[in-house]
Amino acid sequence: MQVVVCVKQIPDPSGTYTLDPETHFLVRPDEQVLDDTDRYGVEMGLQIAQAHGGSVTLVSMGPKGSMQGIRQALAMGADRAVVVDDADLKGSDALTTAQVLAAAIQRTGFDLVITGTESTDGYSGVVPQMLAELLDVPALTYATEVEARDGKVTINRQTSAGYDVVEASLPAVVSVTAGVVEPRYPTFKGIMDAKKKEVEELTASDLGVDTSLRQRVTAVEPAPEREAGVKIEDDGEAHLKVVELLQQKKVI
Amino acid sequence: MNIYLDDDLRAIQAQTAEYVEREIVPKAGAWEQEGRVPREVLRHMGEVGFFGLRVSEEYGGIGMGPLASVVFAEQLGRSTFGGFTITVLAHTDLAMPYVAKFGSDELKQRYLPSMVAGEMIGALAVTEPDAGSDVASIRTTARREGDGYVLNGTKTFITNGVEGDLVVVAAKTDPEAKGSRSISLFLVEKGTPGFSVGRALSKMGWRSSDTAELVFEDCFVPASNLIGEENRGFYCIMQNFQNERLVLAGQSLGEAQRAIELTVDHVRNRRAFGATLWDKQAIRQRLAMHQARVDAARQLTYHAAWLESQGEDAVRVVSEVKALVGELVNDVLYDCVQFHGGMGYVAETAVERLYRDARIQSIGGGATEVMLEEVAKRM
Ligand SMILES: Cc1cc2nc3c(=O)[nH]c(=O)nc-3n(C[C@H](O)[C@H](O)[C@H](O)COP(=O)(O)OP(=O)(O)OC[C@H]3O[C@@H](n4cnc5c(N)ncnc54)[C@H](O)[C@@H]3O)c2cc1C
Ligand SMILES: Cc1cc2nc3c(=O)[nH]c(=O)nc-3n(C[C@H](O)[C@H](O)[C@H](O)COP(=O)(O)OP(=O)(O)OC[C@H]3O[C@@H](n4cnc5c(N)ncnc54)[C@H](O)[C@@H]3O)c2cc1C
C-alpha cells in the first residue's frame, strides 16, 4: 500500500502572524512547523501502512525554509518526502495548490492520499476535493476512522448527526478530521533517523504546472471587534429576561 | 544558538520542551498531591524514547553523552515540578548508567531494554542512616555465599525506593579493607526475599517523588547481579556521581530559568505605587543579575558536561558546578518568591513549589560543602 500524506508547513501558530502590506500574503519565516492538523493525517497514514505493510510518502508545497516541519513528520515515521518549492508559486490559490500537489502525487505513485480537512493558516478546506478531481479518484471527506485494504477504503464520515460509513475503491483521497487519532510523539531515534531520510525537492516546472496566478487578494480587513454582551442584573426576575433574550436569538 | 549544542541536542531540547508542556505541566499538580508519578506516564515516556538517551542502540537507546542528559534535565526542570523531574532522572541518570556502563552483557540484555521502555524503573541506593556525604563509611554488607551474595543493612533517602523495580545497591564485600576498596554494587529486583521497603518519607519539597528507607535482611542476590568488579564499586560510584551532579545542575538551571520568567511576567503585570513592579529598578535589576548568573552557570555546566564527554578528568569543574548551581537556584527562588509578594507564599503557585524544591539542591547528590572540598583539593 503506497500511502501519500499531504502536509503543510506553517508559521508557528503560537507566534504572531503578519501579512505583507502589498500582497496581503502571510509572511513566512524560515523556521516553520508542521501544521498541527496534518499530524493526524500522518498518524493515520502510518497506522494504515503499518497495519497492512507499505510506505508513507509526504508531499508538501510551500517555501521549504529550514524544513523543520517536514522533518517533524519524517521523525514520526514517514519514509520519505517530496517538497515543491518555487518562487513562482508564492501566493498560489487553492486550485494551483491542488494542481501542484496532484502532479507531485502522480509522479510519486499512490494507492491512498490522506489530507487534513482544512489547514490552520489558509483554512479554505477545498484542497482535498480538488485533489481528488484532478487525480480522477473518489474523495472521501471528514473521516474519523479509516480502514484501507484489499483495494477498498472504508471511512466513518463525520456528520452533524453522527457518522456515515462510506466505501470506495482504491486509489482514493481521504481527508481526516483533527482529534480522531492520537498523533505519536516522534521518538529521539525517529528524530535522528529523520535527518537521513530522502527529501526530494521539485519546482513547478519539474512538474509542468502552470503557475500563472488566478487569485489576487484585493483587501484584508480586521475582523470587527466583538460587541459587549448584555448584562442582566438579578432582581428575582432575571430568568425571564434570559429566556426572552434566548427566544429573540432563536436559540430556544 | 550555543556552541555546545548541535542539531541533535537542539532536537532533544525541543522535543523534551514540547512534551513537558503538553503532557506534564497540565497533569503534574495532581501527582504532587498523590506523592507519586503514575506508572503510565513513565511507560509513555519510555515509549517515546526519553529513557534511552545514554543507552547504546543495541539495547534500544540512542547512545548520546552527558550533554544530552543535561539538556534533557534542564527541560524537565522547566516543568516546575521537581518531584516529577527527579523521578525521571533517578531512573535515567542515577540508576541506569550503572547497568549501561558497568554491567555485564548478561545484565544489560536482561534489564536494559525494559528500563529503556519504562517497564522497569530504577533507583540508586548508596546513602545510609549513618553514611551520606562520606560514602566510604557505608555499613551495608554483602557476604559471599554459594553462587551469590547475602545482603544485610539499611539504606535511606532512596528516590524511587517505593515505586522502583530495580535498585542498584552499594554494599561492603570486604570487611577488612579500607572503605574505598571494599565496596561492590548489586542490582536487586523488587520482590527479592529479604528486601523490603521500610517506609516512605514525607518531605519539604519534591513531593511527587517517592523517597524511601530500604531494608535488606539476609537478602540473597545471585552473583550474576554483581555490577562491575567486586570491591571496585566505590570507583564506579565516584565516576557516575559526575553525571548525577551534572543532571542535578541541569534540573536546577531549568527551574531557576523558569522561575525568573514567571517572575518577570508577574512583576510586569503587578502594579504598586502607580507603576508596575517592573518599573522599579531595584526589582528589574535584581532579576537581570539573576539572569546573568543563570546564563553564566549554564555555560559552565555545558562546558563541564562537554569535558566529561571528552573523557577528560572533569571532577573539579563538575564539583564547582554542583556547588555553584545548588546555591544559585536557592538564591534565585528566594527573590522570585519575594517579588511575587503574598502570592509567592501561597501553596501551589509555581514559585512556592520551586522554592521548596530548590532546597534539596545544595544538599542531595553532593552537598555544597563537600563539593567545595573537592574543588579546594584541586586548587
Ligand atoms: C485570503 C487568503 C490569503 C492567502 N495568503 C497566502 C499567503 O500569504 N501565502 C501563501 O503561501 N498562500 C496563501 N494563500 C493560499 C492558501 O494558503 C492556499 O490556498 C493553500 O496553499 C491551500 O489552501 P488551504 O491552506 O486553505 O488548504 P485546505 O484546503 O484548508 O487544506 C486541507 C488539507 O490540504 C492539504 N494541503 C493544503 N495546502 C497544502 C500544501 N501547500 N502542501 C501540502 N498539503 C497541503 C493539507 O493536508 C491540509 O490539511 C492564501 C489564500 C487565501 C484565501
Ligand atoms: C529527597 C532526597 C533524595 C535523595 N535521593 C537519594 C538517592 O536516590 N540515593 C542515595 O543514595 N541518596 C539519596 N539521597 C541522599 C543524599 O545524597 C544525602 O542526603 C547527601 O549526600 C548528604 O548526606 P547526609 O544527608 O548524610 O548529610 P551529612 O553527610 O550528615 O551532612 C550534613 C551536613 O554536613 C556537611 N558536611 C559533611 N561533610 C563535611 C565536610 N567535610 N566539611 C564541611 N561540611 C561537611 C554537609 O555539607 C551537610 O551540610 C537523597 C536525599 C534526599 C533528602
Side-chain angles (χ1 to χ4, degrees), chain B residues 52-287:
Chain B
L53 286 181
R54 305 296 298 278
V55 176
S56 65
E57 292 204 18
E58 202 182 340
Y59 300 106
I62 56 168
M64 303 279 290
L67 260 165
S69 290
V70 169
V71 165
F72 176 58
E74 207 182 339
Q75 293 307 316
L76 295 182
R78 286 183 59 89
S79 70
T80 75
F81 291 92
F84 155 75
T85 303
I86 198 62
T87 299
V88 171
L89 295 178
H91 172 58
T92 55
D93 285 86
L94 271 57
M96 261 168 82
Y98 288 96
V99 186
K101 234 171 140 179
F102 310 114
S104 63
D105 287 347
E106 187 195 333
L107 275 186
K108 288 189 210 171
Q109 261 151 27
R110 191 138 42 102
Y111 295 112
L112 276 184
S114 34
M115 293 182 98
V116 170
E119 284 156 4
M120 286 186 131
I121 296 300
L124 171 69
V126 176
T127 306
E128 299 183 356
D130 294 315
S133 304
D134 184 5
V135 172
S137 72
I138 59 165
R139 292 192 196 156
T140 296
T141 57
R143 179 167 37 86
R144 185 91 218 202
E145 204 177 285
D147 56 354
Y149 296 82
V150 176
L151 269 60
N152 276 290
T154 302
K155 297 287 175 182
T156 195
F157 303 144
I158 307 309
T159 304
N160 293 348
V162 178
E163 296 284 332
D165 308 287
L166 285 170
V167 189
V168 176
V169 183
K172 292 190 82 129
T173 28
D174 184 349
E176 308 301 317
K178 151 171 179 228
S180 59
R181 292 204 204 110
S182 63
I183 294 172
S184 303
L185 294 166
F186 300 90
L187 194 60
V188 185
E189 272 193 60
K190 171 73 73 51
T192 306
F195 167 31
S196 59
V197 177
R199 65 195 171 106
L201 306 166
S202 176
K203 306 180 296 298
M204 173 195 281
W206 280 5
R207 295 196 64 88
S208 50
S209 156
D210 94 68
T211 313
E213 213 171 73
L214 306 181
V215 181
F216 300 90
E217 276 173 311
D218 292 330
C219 172
F220 179 81
V221 178
S224 58
N225 280 34
L226 174 72
I227 299 172
E229 282 173 52
E230 198 182 71
N231 295 329
R232 297 288 301 168
F234 184 81
Y235 300 99
C236 299
I237 296 172
M238 289 306 137
Q239 203 175 322
N240 198 58
F241 268 180
Q242 304 312 310
N243 185 62
E244 173 171 343
R245 286 163 187 164
L246 286 168
V247 297
L248 289 171
Q251 169 179 13
S252 299
L253 288 167
E255 292 175 353
Q257 182 61 54
R258 186 72 190 120
I260 292 173
E261 291 164 11
L262 290 168
T263 306
V264 169
D265 275 353
H266 179 80
V267 299
R268 279 213 159 110
N269 290 310
R270 180 75 180 170
R271 298 181 71 84
F273 303 103
T276 68
L277 294 177
W278 181 252
D279 292 323
K280 321 287 176 200
Q281 267 193 354
I283 287 184
R284 63 171 189 248
Q285 290 196 357
R286 191 103 62 92
L287 287 168

Side-chain angles (χ1 to χ4, degrees), chain B residues 273-348:
Chain B
F273 303 103
T276 68
L277 294 177
W278 181 252
D279 292 323
K280 321 287 176 200
Q281 267 193 354
I283 287 184
R284 63 171 189 248
Q285 290 196 357
R286 191 103 62 92
L287 287 168
M289 185 53 108
H290 281 319
Q291 184 61 65
R293 289 196 180 107
V294 167
D295 286 341
R298 181 187 302 109
Q299 208 55 8
L300 186 64
T301 305
Y302 287 174
H303 178 66
W306 176 79
L307 276 181
E308 179 74 8
S309 74
Q310 300 303 301
E312 293 284 313
D313 178 354
V315 176
R316 172 170 158 179
V317 190
V318 170
S319 306
E320 288 172 11
V321 161
K322 179 66 177 61
L324 183 74
V325 176
E327 298 293 321
L328 175 60
V329 67
N330 280 284
D331 290 350
V332 169
L333 262 304
Y334 182 88
D335 280 343
C336 289
V337 168
Q338 185 70 16
F339 297 160
H340 269 75
M343 279 300 291
Y345 194 68
V346 175
E348 299 330 311

Side-chain angles (χ1 to χ4, degrees), chain A residues 36 39 72 182 185-189 191-192 195, chain B residues 8 11-12 15 18 22-23 48-50 53 62:
Chain A
D36 224 29
R39 287 191 198 217
Q72 278 175 282
E182 182 67 32
Y185 280 92
T187 64
F188 284 137
K189 198 162 166 0
I191 294 171
M192 306 290 156
K195 287 188 303 190
Chain B
D8 286 351
I12 287 168
Q15 167 83 343
E18 183 183 338
R22 286 196 188 206
E23 304 289 332
V48 177
F50 287 108
L53 286 181
I62 56 168

Side-chain angles (χ1 to χ4, degrees), chain A residues 8 10 28 35 37-38 116-128:
Chain A
K8 196 174 178 185
I10 63 168
R28 290 175 186 270
D35 188 343
T37 63
D38 287 334
T117 292
E118 59 175 39
S119 68
T120 303
D121 62 343
Y123 60 94
S124 66
V126 293
V127 168

Side-chain angles (χ1 to χ4, degrees), chain A residues 162-173:
Chain A
Y163 64 86
D164 299 333
V165 179
V166 183
E167 194 181 281
S169 56
L170 289 173
V173 172

